[in-house]
Amino acid sequence: MSRILHILSQLPSKTGSGIFLDNMLEQGHLANHEQGLVLGLPQSFSYELPEYITCFSPVYFETESLPFKIPGMSDVMPYDSTKFSELSVENWTAYTEAFEKAITYAIEQFKPDVILSNHLWVATAVAVKIAHSQGHYRPKVYSVTHGTDLRQMILAPYLKGFIIENCLHLDGIFCLHAGQFSLIQNLYTLPAKRLSLIGNGYNAHVFHRYKRELKETLHIIYAGKLSFSKGVLELIDAVNALNEKLTLRQSPTVTVPSPSQVLLHIAGKGSGAEGGAILHAVANSPYTDCLGFLKQQALAEVFYASDLFVLPSYYEGLPLVVLEALATGLPIVVTDLPGLKSWLDGPINESGYMTYVPLPELEGIDQCKKAARESFIKDLTAALESSIEKIITQSYTADFPYASIEEQAWENVFKLIAFEMGL
């Protein structure tokens, strides 16, 4: 049995990295490792600490020492947050000192064999700095990049020097896909042997095989944050346009089978002006509703009741929600995100259940250019229409590559990480 200290500088369960943490903790417990946890939390947030965690060192925000909302690795989070790019010098100093104190306490009290920190960002850099100051006792420090940390290098460049200076000394970095591998290797000038490809995972006990029947109304599900970078506004417009086309098809002279209506269900939360704008668009579409944030089991139930999963994001690390949807047998429409197609290479891509939409021309790193918006909506509408035709003609009878998907269960991801950390 080894001692693993996990670090996440933001809330668990709410984002991809939070779900990653939840499952690493669970798999570590099943493998009989002793585990500690450093976590960033709003003071008002009620966190149910797993009973098997033997050392907990939280960093609380909206307090006297940290009087601002918790910074998120994305600029739009599914809860109230602060942008790293907007932190003042005083706030940045207080943030760093708070994590230094929490991580120092955890290392001294817990004496971990290894530290597994999420994101190549501030908390990880702090963990490396502290670990290397321990003298004769030095725990190994590993980090998982989730993609958003690489984006923050651009959005908050004033932190770049501190991050690189310390993260250069990580014992290993786990990358989600080959694109990240190359980017990190170049950014940090690290030898390839210190980087490992792990992909992403899903909970096979929650998301599992499900047989669907054709219905007159088809249900599309989107799951993720309510932010412009996720392409949600364009998806709502595409579903509206698709329903207009379906209405025209109901002519008695048209014999091509088609549903009478397509409904879009949005599972997720947003914050600020972007979240508000998306909720306004939902309220003005007769074909769309918002389900709010759903825990994993509730999301799985929505997947079982749906016919098609759509993720029109302009930027992602490696979206685990695609795997979760695939695990339930849902066809997928997704933008051609860097690394995704190569990660799902082989039977999954060849199955016909994956439809990739070309990314539009972007402004910055994750916003659709206004001039490219209408063209992207047309492409997205066409992809939805094509996928629906497949659903109708194949009636869910095509061979589905469950075996390839099940290889990505969290159990296997954890085994790979544990092996690379020498556990």
Side-chain angles (χ1 to χ4, degrees):
M1 181 178 72
S2 299
R3 291 188 300 277
I4 308 171
L5 176 64
H6 300 264
I7 300 175
L8 178 66
S9 61
Q10 57 190 37
L11 275 67
S13 310
K14 301 292 187 181
T15 61
S17 59
I19 293 171
F20 187 97
L21 170 72
D22 293 344
N23 284 281
M24 290 301 99
L25 290 173
E26 177 65 18
Q27 293 303 317
H29 171 61
L30 294 174
N32 295 316
H33 296 296
E34 188 177 353
Q35 298 179 101
L37 179 60
V38 174
L39 202 58
L41 295 169
Q43 188 178 41
S44 59
F45 186 81
S46 178
Y47 177 57
E48 187 175 343
L49 184 70
E51 60 182 13
Y52 49 78
I53 297 298
T54 57
C55 176
F56 182 49
S57 185
V59 174
Y60 288 113
F61 291 81
E62 300 176 59
T63 60
E64 185 176 349
S65 59
L66 293 173
F68 51 93
K69 298 184 186 299
I70 185 169
M73 287 307 304
S74 295
D75 278 2
V76 177
M77 300 293 287
Y79 47 82
D80 289 339
S81 61
T82 299
K83 295 180 182 180
F84 275 106
S85 58
E86 295 178 353
L87 284 179
S88 66
V89 174
E90 292 77 13
N91 287 346
W92 149 241
T93 301
Y95 181 97
T96 307
E97 289 177 349
F99 274 98
E100 284 182 351
K101 182 178 179 181
I103 294 170
T104 298
Y105 172 85
I107 290 175
E108 291 177 350
Q109 296 296 315
F110 185 56
K111 292 290 190 293
D113 298 301
V114 296
I115 297 172
L116 182 59
S117 185
N118 289 275
H119 302 295
L120 286 169
W121 200 238
V122 178
T124 297
V126 168
V128 175
K129 179 182 175 183
I130 294 170
H132 279 264
S133 68
Q134 293 300 300
H136 68 283
Y137 161 70
R138 185 182 81 78
K140 290 185 176 181
V141 186
Y142 295 82
S143 183
V144 182
T145 176
H146 296 280
T148 47
D149 40 15
L150 301 174
R151 179 167 51 178
Q152 285 296 337
M153 285 284 194
I154 300 170
L155 297 173
Y158 71 98
L159 297 174
K160 185 175 180 178
F162 174 78
I163 306 298
I164 293 179
E165 177 186 354
N166 289 284
C167 288
L168 272 172
H169 303 292
L170 282 161
D171 293 280
I173 297 172
F174 298 110
C175 310
L176 302 184
H177 59 75
Q180 288 181 349
F181 191 103
S182 300
L183 187 59
I184 291 167
Q185 191 176 15
N186 293 333
L187 183 63
Y188 288 88
T189 61
L190 291 172
K193 65 181 181 181
R194 283 169 62 190
L195 279 68
S196 303
L197 284 174
I198 59 168
N200 218 333
Y202 77 98
N203 191 329
H205 304 289
V206 174
F207 301 93
H208 50 74
R209 304 182 184 198
Y210 186 83
K211 181 173 176 57
R212 293 169 177 79
E213 301 293 338
L214 283 175
K215 303 180 288 288
E216 185 176 352
T217 297
L218 264 67
H219 296 264
I220 297 174
I221 177 67
Y222 161 86
K225 287 178 285 193
L226 306 190
S227 70
F228 294 164
S229 66
K230 295 285 189 178
V232 186
L233 285 177
E234 288 71 32
L235 175 58
I236 294 170
D237 284 348
V239 169
N240 290 340
L242 180 58
N243 276 285
E244 290 176 9
K245 295 181 74 172
L246 291 177
T247 300
L248 295 174
R249 279 191 176 189
Q250 303 310 311
S251 166
T253 61
V254 177
T255 59
V256 177
S258 65
S260 61
Q261 187 172 233
V262 173
L263 299 181
L264 170 63
H265 308 286
I266 295 176
K269 287 186 68 177
S271 60
E274 292 192 17
I278 290 169
L279 289 176
H280 179 75
V282 169
N284 283 281
S285 169
Y287 310 108
T288 308
D289 63 11
C290 189
L291 308 176
F293 173 78
L294 300 179
K295 292 184 177 181
Q296 294 265 281
Q297 187 60 59
L299 180 60
E301 294 298 328
V302 172
F303 282 173
Y304 301 142
S306 301
D307 302 282
L308 179 66
F309 175 82
V310 185
L311 183 67
S313 285
Y314 304 129
Y315 184 96
E316 293 280 348
L318 198 59
L320 64 87
V321 70
V322 169
L323 265 186
E324 292 168 347
L326 279 170
T328 70
L330 276 174
I332 308 292
V333 170
V334 61
T335 36
D336 196 357
L337 297 161
L340 182 59
K341 192 178 290 183
S342 60
W343 176 47
L344 298 176
D345 194 20
I348 297 176
N349 280 329
E350 295 165 5
S351 67
Y353 276 76
M354 296 294 301
T355 300
Y356 294 96
V357 183
L359 279 166
E361 189 176 358
L362 299 180
E363 188 170 19
I365 55 178
D366 59 3
Q367 300 294 320
C368 179
K369 278 193 172 182
K370 289 183 179 180
R373 188 174 185 275
E374 289 305 316
S375 178
F376 178 67
I377 292 171
K378 288 181 181 178
D379 288 345
L380 185 54
T381 305
L384 295 176
E385 189 172 20
S386 172
S387 295
I388 288 169
E389 291 294 345
K390 288 181 186 177
I391 292 170
I392 293 166
T393 56
Q394 295 178 4
S395 301
Y396 297 109
T397 58
D399 291 336
F400 197 80
Y402 281 114
S404 296
I405 297 160
E406 289 162 359
E407 291 175 0
Q408 305 292 331
W410 284 121
E411 291 90 333
N412 296 324
V413 175
F414 180 81
K415 286 178 183 177
L416 178 58
I417 289 175
F419 175 80
E420 294 293 338
M421 295 195 303
L423 305 182

